[in-house]
Amino acid sequence: MKYLSCILLVLFTFQIQAQEQISLETCYQLVTQNYPLVKQTELLEAQNKLEAAVISTSKLPKIDLDAYATYQSEVIEFPVAMSGVEPLNKDQYRATVTVNQLIYNGGATTAALDLKSAQLKTKQKQIEVQLYQLKLQINQLYFSILLAQESDALLKAKHTLLEAKLKEIQSGIKNGSVVPSSDNVLEAELLKVDQQSKAVNSNKKTLIETLSTLITFPLDASIVFETPIVVHDIQHQISRPELDVFQLKKDEIENSENLISKQNAPKLLGFATGGYGNPGLNILDNSFQPFYTVGLKLNWNVFDWNANKKQRESLSITKDIIENETEIFKLNTNIELNKQQDEINKIEDFISSDKQIVTLRETVLQTAASQLQNGVITASAYLIELTNLYEDEQTLAAHKIQLELAKANYNIIKGQ
């Protein structure tokens, strides 16, 4: 997995550097690969392996070492008829090694391993949910950069137009067809446009740095951000990763129920004990001697006061709670989708009227330009119409970008 991620990262880097541009989809992919939270996926896998290894030790022999020495105030005494038997020592010593081997436990070990596996899947999917939610932040940053990029382009176009018009005015002043000092108005506006351009670029630089930090990937201020054409399908079903988390939590509960059902199953163990002590197994031999025992042991909790049953009932209620949370999540998501769709419809209406306004402003500006050239109006009057056109073009550009942002957010909310 690490090797594949490195290859993809290199490919992304090469593509971005070669084309000096980046797309919204690339930002999505970069954040899911580079964001620090991604490291937790591997950490969870390592942790799960260790915990599974601990559970699996129940299948291995367990070895216990015991040693003790005692002194008894009284020992067994033998009748006079057996006076030839040496009395037992009041001080006794024993050291033993016992090996217990689980033979059967009703599948409890396998059930515990299955539960651990289910818990790992849930935790990893929760990480995926957190990474997925970062896409909304990326949308906001990415489209804000696009708006700054578009604003800068409009300012450059305005600057070019003003420079051309300034040359015409200066020529008219020399010919006496234009009122003197009219060029001062345009020169002041050019300085104002330069200030606006610097402010836009400064804001764009900040946004790019923030996005670069979020996706943990270097982005140059000169990089071009592609304008995505976002397609959203209002008929598409919700497919958010949160729904997978709810399902995995229910799978966890089912595995927990299975484990609980195995807890009261009979457990069969084999054991062997070897030792050395005084006395040994033959208490009549009052000396140090080795000994051993082997056998089988059965343990079965026949009645647990319905504790097992109550645990399963509690888990069943938890499953109902998760089902309820799923329905609430779907309801809230649909509410957000409806709001977002209303926003899309509203912006589309704005764009339609924006285009008409810009067309009318262009006609008015053409007339004002002709009047300025013929000395009918002042440069200030012309500048008012130019500013009106620029502001309306800026509004149109902003609405177009807002529309794509609304569609992109719609897709993220839906999980498309």
Side-chain angles (χ1 to χ4, degrees):
M1 182 62 71
K2 285 184 178 179
Y3 181 70
L4 180 59
S5 298
C6 289
I7 292 177
L8 291 174
L9 185 60
V10 170
L11 289 176
F12 282 137
T13 305
F14 177 76
Q15 180 182 8
I16 292 171
Q17 290 178 344
Q19 300 179 357
E20 295 185 351
Q21 60 185 13
I22 191 171
S23 66
L24 179 62
E25 190 61 34
T26 300
C27 291
Y28 289 159
Q29 293 170 336
L30 287 170
V31 77
T32 55
Q33 291 178 15
N34 298 343
Y35 197 70
L37 186 64
V38 176
K39 296 179 182 178
Q40 288 191 19
T41 301
E42 295 179 2
L43 294 174
L44 287 172
E45 288 180 357
Q47 183 184 51
N48 182 262
K49 286 181 180 179
L50 292 173
E51 292 176 347
V54 172
I55 294 172
S56 296
T57 57
S58 64
K59 298 180 181 180
L60 301 176
K62 289 181 172 52
I63 303 174
D64 296 316
L65 174 63
D66 295 302
Y68 64 86
T70 63
Y71 181 86
Q72 301 177 199
S73 62
E74 190 174 1
V75 294
I76 298 174
E77 295 182 356
F78 297 99
V80 176
M82 299 177 63
S83 58
V85 178
E86 184 180 352
L88 299 177
N89 294 332
K90 290 186 177 181
D91 55 323
Q92 299 182 3
Y93 308 90
R94 175 170 293 196
T96 60
V97 175
T98 302
V99 178
N100 289 284
Q101 174 63 59
L102 177 66
I103 298 173
Y104 175 78
N105 66 349
T109 301
T110 301
L113 289 172
D114 291 341
L115 177 58
K116 279 296 174 186
S117 178
Q119 289 173 340
L120 173 63
K121 291 178 181 178
T122 302
K123 291 176 182 178
Q124 288 180 329
K125 183 59 69 171
Q126 288 172 334
I127 290 176
E128 184 180 327
V129 167
Q130 294 180 62
L131 291 173
Y132 185 84
Q133 292 171 346
L134 291 173
K135 291 182 178 181
L136 289 174
Q137 294 184 41
I138 289 176
N139 282 353
Q140 194 62 48
L141 288 169
Y142 191 94
F143 286 95
S144 295
I145 293 171
L146 285 181
L147 182 57
Q149 195 169 268
E150 189 66 26
S151 297
D152 185 53
L154 287 173
L155 284 169
K156 287 179 179 177
K158 183 179 180 181
H159 192 279
T160 301
L161 181 60
L162 284 171
E163 283 184 330
K165 190 57 61 178
L166 178 60
K167 290 179 180 179
E168 291 181 6
I169 294 300
Q170 289 174 338
S171 176
I173 292 174
K174 290 180 180 179
N175 298 331
S177 60
V178 178
V179 178
S181 76
S182 294
D183 56 340
N184 293 337
V185 175
L186 297 181
E187 287 176 349
E189 186 64 20
L190 278 170
L191 293 174
K192 184 178 178 181
V193 169
D194 288 337
Q195 286 182 339
Q196 292 172 340
S197 182
K198 289 178 181 178
V200 167
N201 283 313
S202 176
N203 181 50
K204 179 184 174 183
K205 182 175 179 292
T206 301
L207 291 169
I208 291 176
E209 288 173 351
T210 305
L211 179 61
S212 177
T213 302
L214 182 61
I215 65 177
T216 319
F217 190 86
L219 296 175
D220 190 84
S222 62
I223 194 169
V224 176
F225 288 77
E226 297 178 3
T227 303
I229 305 299
V230 185
V231 178
H232 77 291
D233 181 7
I234 60 176
Q235 302 300 324
H236 194 273
Q237 296 297 318
I238 297 174
S239 57
R240 289 277 291 273
E242 288 90 340
L243 296 178
D244 294 332
V245 171
F246 291 133
Q247 182 57 51
L248 288 171
K249 284 184 177 180
K250 288 191 284 187
D251 293 342
E252 262 191 64
I253 291 174
E254 291 176 0
N255 281 281
S256 296
E257 290 173 336
N258 185 43
L259 177 59
I260 290 173
S261 69
K262 306 290 186 184
Q263 287 178 343
N264 286 347
K267 297 177 178 61
L268 180 65
L269 297 96
F271 66 89
T273 301
Y276 186 75
N278 180 6
L281 296 181
N282 182 4
I283 63 173
L284 298 180
D285 186 351
N286 194 17
S287 64
F288 282 92
Q289 53 188 290
F291 59 87
Y292 73 90
T293 59
V294 293
L296 295 173
K297 181 168 63 175
L298 178 68
N299 177 270
W300 190 2
N301 186 4
V302 179
F303 186 69
D304 65 351
W305 303 98
N306 287 328
N308 194 286
K309 179 182 178 182
K310 291 175 182 177
Q311 283 180 307
R312 292 199 300 269
E313 289 176 351
S314 175
L315 288 173
S316 179
I317 293 174
T318 303
K319 188 184 291 185
D320 291 337
I321 291 173
I322 293 173
E323 191 65 40
N324 180 255
E325 289 175 345
T326 304
E327 294 304 315
I328 293 173
F329 177 79
K330 288 181 178 179
L331 176 63
N332 290 335
T333 301
N334 280 318
I335 291 174
E336 289 298 316
L337 287 173
N338 290 334
K339 289 181 179 178
Q340 203 65 31
Q341 186 59 49
D342 290 341
E343 181 72 10
I344 290 171
N345 295 337
K346 179 186 73 175
I347 297 174
E348 286 177 339
D349 289 340
F350 285 165
I351 290 175
S352 178
S353 58
D354 285 341
K355 289 179 179 179
Q356 297 178 36
I357 293 171
V358 168
T359 300
L360 293 172
R361 290 292 188 193
E362 288 175 341
T363 302
V364 171
L365 183 62
Q366 289 175 357
T367 302
S370 176
Q371 291 175 335
L372 175 62
Q373 190 173 7
N374 295 322
V376 176
I377 61 173
T378 63
S380 297
Y382 169 81
L383 196 56
I384 291 173
E385 299 303 331
L386 176 60
T387 301
N388 288 338
L389 174 60
Y390 167 77
E391 290 177 351
D392 291 332
E393 286 179 335
Q394 177 71 14
T395 300
L396 173 59
H399 283 156
K400 285 182 178 180
I401 292 172
Q402 288 171 7
L403 176 61
E404 298 305 313
L405 171 61
K407 289 180 180 179
N409 286 341
Y410 183 96
N411 289 343
I412 297 300
I413 292 170
K414 198 163 195 175
Q416 188 173 337

